[in-house]
Amino acid sequence: MLHALSSGFALGFSLILAIGAQNAFVLKQGLKRQHVFAVCLCCALSDAILITAGVAGFGTIVQQFPSLEIIARYCGATFLIIYALLSLKTAFTKKHSLELNQDTQYKLLPIIATCLALTWLNPHVYLDTVVLLGSISTQYPGLEFYFGLGAVISSFVFFFSLGYGAKFLIPVFSTPKAWKVFEVIVAVLMFAIALSLIKG
């Protein structure tokens, strides 16, 4: 049981560790202190649902209907391009200040909607959580639940560490110039991911 649990945790953590659109968004919200708990919980719960579906055998359905992956890929690329353009617009048209970025000044719904889009419109998430973790869980017959649980725990640990750990970077982003650079980096990252999705 412990072996399956630890294996699921280690693999889940290694898969989610790569910098992607979702992680960049969580980091950004952590730096801005905008509904950090809700964003981290949203990402972790989304992963939990996908991992559970994969362990339960949904990965075979995705493999049988490849058109689902294609649809998700192009929808995700479109959203990422729009998000990248908005980041560029923000970088060059808005004045950034950490002191102004308090939770009470930003509506929760648009932030959660963006978080959900970055998560559920990213086909890489399905490949990592549903297909890959789902298929590897079969190597632990009778212990699939514990393998999946380990992966789910890793998601909660990672996202909450990233979201709340971002506060240690706040001194770096205390100037408007640093925020502009960060927004441009986010935009480039989004464009790059979108391009990789289009290329397949």
Side-chain angles (χ1 to χ4, degrees):
M1 181 188 76
L2 289 177
H3 178 61
L5 187 71
S6 60
S7 296
F9 183 92
L11 181 58
F13 200 87
S14 63
L15 289 175
I16 203 172
L17 192 59
I19 296 298
Q22 186 187 48
N23 294 351
F25 182 75
V26 174
L27 177 62
K28 184 176 180 180
Q29 296 309 120
L31 288 169
K32 289 187 173 184
R33 293 171 289 175
Q34 294 177 8
H35 303 290
V36 180
F37 180 83
V39 169
C40 294
L41 183 62
C42 178
C43 291
L45 286 178
S46 294
D47 267 14
I49 293 172
L50 291 168
I51 291 169
T52 302
V55 173
F58 186 71
T60 57
I61 297 178
V62 176
Q63 291 176 326
Q64 291 176 1
F65 298 96
S67 59
L68 293 176
E69 189 272 337
I70 296 174
I71 293 172
R73 182 150 49 90
Y74 283 101
C75 288
T78 301
F79 180 82
L80 288 174
I81 291 172
I82 294 173
Y83 190 91
L85 292 173
L86 290 175
S87 290
L88 285 177
K89 180 182 178 182
T90 300
F92 296 105
T93 62
K94 289 187 178 181
K95 181 180 179 181
H96 300 77
S97 175
L98 283 174
E99 288 73 23
L100 297 176
N101 293 325
Q102 300 298 327
D103 283 358
T104 55
Q105 295 182 354
Y106 293 85
K107 293 183 179 180
L108 176 62
L109 188 58
I111 292 176
I112 293 300
T114 301
C115 183
L116 289 173
L118 287 172
T119 301
W120 292 87
L121 290 179
N122 181 7
H124 290 162
V125 172
Y126 296 94
L127 294 175
D128 288 346
T129 57
V130 178
V131 179
L132 184 58
L133 287 175
S135 61
I136 293 178
S137 69
T138 60
Q139 298 179 16
Y140 300 88
L143 298 173
E144 294 92 346
F145 169 79
Y146 295 103
F147 179 86
L149 179 61
V152 168
I153 292 174
S154 72
S155 290
F156 275 87
V157 171
F158 176 82
F159 283 118
F160 278 92
S161 297
L162 180 63
Y164 285 98
K167 66 182 181 181
F168 296 107
L169 295 176
I170 287 178
V172 178
F173 291 91
S174 59
T175 63
K177 184 178 179 180
W179 270 104
K180 289 181 182 293
V181 173
F182 181 69
E183 290 284 6
V184 171
I185 291 175
V186 169
V188 172
L189 177 64
M190 300 299 176
F191 276 128
I193 297 174
L195 182 60
S196 69
L197 291 179
I198 293 173
K199 288 183 175 181

